[in-house]
Amino acid sequence: MAAWALGLVFAIGLAGSVYRIPIQVTDALETIERSLTVPSLPASFASGIGNSASMLRPLREVRTKLLVEIGDALGGRYDAAFRGYHALCGVVLVLLFVGMTSARTWTDVTALAFALAVLTGMHTFSGMFREAYPTNHFLTITTYAMVTCALGRSRGGWLADVAAVACLVVSLLTLESGVLVFVVAVAAAVAGARGISRPALGVMALVLAGYAFFRVGYLGLHTAGLGEHATGLWAAQLSPSEQVARFGANPLPLYVYTVVMSGLSVLLSQPSAGQWTVAEAWQHGGLSPVFVVEMGSSALTTALIAWYAFGRDTAGRRRWRDPVVAVFAAVLVTNAAVSWAYAKNEIIGTAGVFYALAAFAAARAWLQQPTSAEAAAGKPPRWPAGAAVALLALASTAWAVRDAGLHFKLRHTAFVSRSEWADVLRPNERDRWPADPRRLGVVSRLKAEAVATPVPPPAQMPEWGESWWGEE
Amino acid sequence: MKALWAVALAPCLVALTFAASGVAALLGDRPLVWRARPVTLSEAIANRDQGEVVRQVGTGVSLDGRYDVYDVIKRGRHTPATPLEAAIATREDYMFELGLAYGAHLGPDNARGLFCLAEAEKATDIRDALREKFGPQDCAGVTLPW
């Protein structure tokens, strides 16, 4: 009960900040307008299959269409539909996380408080809530990956099998990173979780193969390649043209760098989107507290997870075989691998969530270990030494600071998203307004709702905020 | 058992704070933490707050009025300014353009004053745009708003 209450407290705070972000214009308005031109949900699905040379994301179109229709049903309250959906997804993810920890004792709940701060304080987590296109598909994939992991650890049955296959299908048709759902199912099974049966795993493999054939063999879609997005390299950021100039002949070194650094960023909070911003700050003499807090908390937590993974359980088995650890490792590697073309914090967001789950298992074990005196006396586990608790308290406090930073960043995002609407339907550019009355009506309504949301400008935010939580 | 609170304290405090703020935001449209303070139209421009500018103009606030600007143009001081003057204070061409796009008056009657203010504030992009549209301006004897 205490665990669910704690989760709800985190979830409500997240929902409150996410809901107040207006619908963004970039990467969202175009999709919303496109949904107005198709007559039905099946037509949206069909349009999502053939509207891109590199992406197969029909369920993104369907979700958008559905939310527009919900907005219509609410009397033109599109903001409530889209932002409410995003906030609700955040609540679901946090509560799913709580459910997966199965926290029951006070020690468990303490470890959960720490893990929830890790979850919400991760730099990869904010990306899933700071952007919406007009829904955030990285968040969708992460949610389905969590559901699949929970199914794998369940008692199983045909319902679990069907649900696992459905999670994979929905994920693959939402975003290419949907492959992570399959990885989660396999990793959980390999680690001994038997909730998803072998036949179901076989069906999932067939679904994945069918998806690959449909995407590459039938539709002939290509994947993201060199120079399609900016990405970091050491202390710098490379623009698409710079990538082509430097790696056009052989992009492999850049791809390897991006994969390795994407994985490392989950463990150390650096580099950020491939760029070692800490090095850049150091070079310019501006090493602000954000780097100490972020890298320090991540280093401590990664060390804690490593201690847990390489330790032994009460039966003497290495704990890296614990499904939570095994799934985290598999997701980290795969999630980093799918980031090969360019690094972006939200792409690696799924691994960030499983990192927090591993942090929970490690923190719980850390709090349960006996003091050396107790162990020598053969007493049962009671409480660790003060220094051990103090160390976890230090990490926990640092993560709490980062959690507050999530809300600071979400306020900034709200300001940016609201500002974008000033360029839409400018009174002095009426010749560029949509001619279609329905489209004009929806865009006008979206703009009115976006600017009606009161949002503090950066000038009203604390000046020290950027030092402690970063610029974005 | 007593040591547990040390680990859970900070995360719980932060979570409770933002949960209370979130509830206030969801129910009353007023978050407790980092809520937007009311500003005048010129303050919104000076803060580069494009969304707030559009909102206020939409409610009928005139882009040609003169409004108080506190602690933005001059630290800790009240500085009355028109929205276009406030845009010049930001030295951002896009804020000046925003004012014009949403209906601020710019003509021979006020171009000289704005040009001279842009010159004084080193808002070079805005100054050059004014010069291009209205020609070179003589700033002798022009009284600047601050």
Side-chain angles (χ1 to χ4, degrees):
Chain A
M1 190 62 188
W4 289 108
L6 185 61
L8 207 56
V9 167
F10 272 85
I12 289 171
L14 176 66
S17 290
V18 170
Y19 186 73
R20 294 191 68 76
I21 301 172
I23 294 172
Q24 68 190 51
V25 173
T26 309
D27 293 335
L29 181 58
E30 185 187 342
T31 310
I32 292 173
E33 288 188 81
R34 194 165 59 233
S35 79
L36 300 173
T37 63
V38 289
S40 63
L41 294 176
S44 285
F45 185 88
S47 76
I49 289 176
N51 64 2
S52 170
S54 61
M55 294 183 286
L56 177 60
R57 301 172 181 175
L59 287 184
R60 176 198 185 195
E61 305 292 322
V62 171
R63 236 174 246 121
T64 304
K65 178 75 177 168
L66 186 62
L67 289 170
V68 167
E69 290 188 356
I70 290 173
D72 284 335
L74 292 173
R77 294 195 62 198
Y78 303 107
D79 209 50
F82 280 95
R83 302 314 305 156
Y85 174 76
H86 203 166
L88 190 63
C89 287
V91 172
V92 168
L93 182 65
V94 171
L95 295 183
L96 202 54
F97 185 90
V98 172
M100 287 191 66
T101 60
S102 306
R104 286 187 175 80
T105 66
W106 282 113
T107 304
D108 294 350
V109 174
T110 303
L112 179 63
F114 166 72
L116 283 169
V118 174
L119 173 77
T120 53
M122 278 289 280
H123 60 293
T124 56
F125 188 78
S126 66
M128 293 193 285
F129 295 95
R130 296 185 68 188
E131 289 205 71
Y133 329 96
T135 58
N136 189 298
H137 32 243
F138 297 106
L139 175 58
T140 306
I141 299 305
T142 302
T143 304
Y144 284 115
M146 291 281 280
V147 170
T148 305
C149 187
L151 291 169
R153 295 169 68 196
S154 71
R155 278 179 286 182
W158 68 269
L159 208 57
D161 287 349
V162 170
V165 174
C167 280
L168 180 63
V169 171
V170 170
S171 298
L172 287 173
L173 294 176
T174 297
L175 184 69
E176 292 72 15
S177 299
V179 68
L180 288 171
V181 168
F182 179 70
V183 172
V184 167
V186 171
V190 168
R194 294 280 179 263
I196 302 171
S197 70
R198 289 190 175 183
L201 288 171
V203 173
M204 291 175 84
L206 283 175
V207 166
L208 190 61
Y211 167 81
F213 173 77
F214 183 65
R215 183 189 163 87
V216 181
Y218 183 73
L219 294 175
L221 301 181
H222 64 78
T223 55
L226 186 73
E228 290 189 19
H229 297 269
T231 192
L233 180 67
W234 302 121
Q237 192 180 46
L238 296 184
S239 68
S241 59
E242 287 171 329
Q243 291 169 46
V244 173
R246 289 182 61 175
F247 296 97
N250 178 22
L252 195 62
L254 181 62
Y255 290 165
V256 171
Y257 170 87
T258 304
V259 168
V260 172
M261 295 306 157
S262 291
L264 205 57
S265 72
V266 175
L267 304 175
L268 291 179
S269 291
Q270 279 283 317
S272 177
Q275 184 183 9
W276 288 86
T277 50
V278 64
E280 190 196 25
W282 180 269
Q283 285 169 359
H284 293 90
L287 201 57
S288 50
V290 62
F291 296 108
V292 178
V293 172
E294 289 196 350
M295 295 185 72
S297 58
S298 285
L300 278 175
T301 307
T302 299
L304 184 69
I305 293 172
W307 163 82
Y308 177 76
F310 293 107
R312 293 179 187 277
D313 62 16
T314 48
R317 290 190 323 160
R318 290 284 184 193
R319 283 187 296 219
W320 55 261
R321 295 178 65 182
D322 177 341
V324 169
V325 178
V327 170
F328 163 59
V331 169
L332 179 65
V333 170
T334 314
N335 210 169
V338 299
S339 309
W340 87 91
Y342 62 97
K344 196 175 177 186
N345 287 342
E346 49 265 55
I347 298 180
I348 201 83
T350 309
V353 172
F354 281 92
Y355 175 86
L357 207 54
F360 166 78
R364 180 167 58 179
W366 183 258
L367 290 172
Q368 284 174 339
Q369 64 171 336
T371 62
S372 53
E374 287 171 340
K379 290 181 180 175
R382 195 175 57 86
W383 273 98
V389 173
L391 200 60
L392 192 59
L394 180 68
S396 184
T397 303
W399 280 107
V401 170
R402 295 180 68 173
D403 179 24
L406 167 71
H407 298 277
F408 178 82
K409 291 172 183 174
L410 292 177
R411 294 287 194 282
H412 183 73
T413 299
F415 173 77
V416 172
S417 295
R418 189 190 190 211
S419 295
E420 285 184 329
W421 285 95
D423 285 333
V424 178
L425 302 181
R426 282 199 167 209
N428 64 337
E429 296 174 346
R430 285 182 184 268
D431 54 319
R432 294 175 61 187
W433 289 19
D436 174 51
R438 159 84 168 142
R439 211 175 125 196
L440 180 60
V442 171
V443 176
S444 300
R445 179 71 189 157
L446 286 167
K447 180 177 178 179
E449 287 189 302
V451 299
T453 308
V455 169
Q460 290 185 4
M461 297 294 279
E463 286 181 18
W464 45 266
E466 285 189 10
S467 297
W468 283 87
W469 295 311
E471 291 177 5
E472 302 186 47
Chain B
M1 188 70 187
K2 286 177 184 172
L4 278 176
W5 67 267
V7 176
L9 180 68
C12 288
L13 276 179
V14 170
L16 279 168
T17 301
F18 285 100
S21 181
V23 169
L26 292 169
L27 300 181
D29 211 27
R30 302 271 294 168
L32 302 178
V33 183
W34 299 322
R35 74 168 59 149
R37 292 193 300 271
V39 292
T40 66
L41 182 56
S42 295
E43 278 172 335
I45 293 242
N47 285 332
R48 301 169 175 80
D49 192 346
Q50 300 178 76
E52 180 62 16
V53 171
V54 175
R55 187 192 71 79
Q56 292 203 22
V57 172
T59 61
V61 180
S62 169
L63 274 157
D64 297 318
R66 183 171 292 276
Y67 310 98
D68 185 40
V69 179
Y70 177 65
D71 199 27
V72 186
I73 296 173
K74 298 287 180 187
R75 198 162 185 88
R77 281 176 51 190
H78 292 274
T79 318
T82 67
L84 289 184
E85 289 168 352
I88 289 171
T90 69
R91 300 189 185 89
E92 298 285 6
D93 189 35
Y94 72 88
M95 290 307 303
F96 195 79
E97 289 295 325
L98 179 74
L100 297 179
Y102 280 83
H105 169 72
L106 176 63
D109 54 318
N110 64 347
R112 186 173 168 219
L114 292 171
F115 175 90
C116 296
L117 181 62
E119 179 80 25
E121 290 288 315
K122 297 184 173 57
T124 52
D125 288 346
I126 300 171
R127 180 202 62 196
D128 293 348
L130 288 168
R131 180 189 288 144
E132 190 176 321
K133 190 165 185 182
F134 295 99
Q137 304 289 316
D138 178 12
C139 290
V142 172
T143 306
L144 299 179
W146 59 81

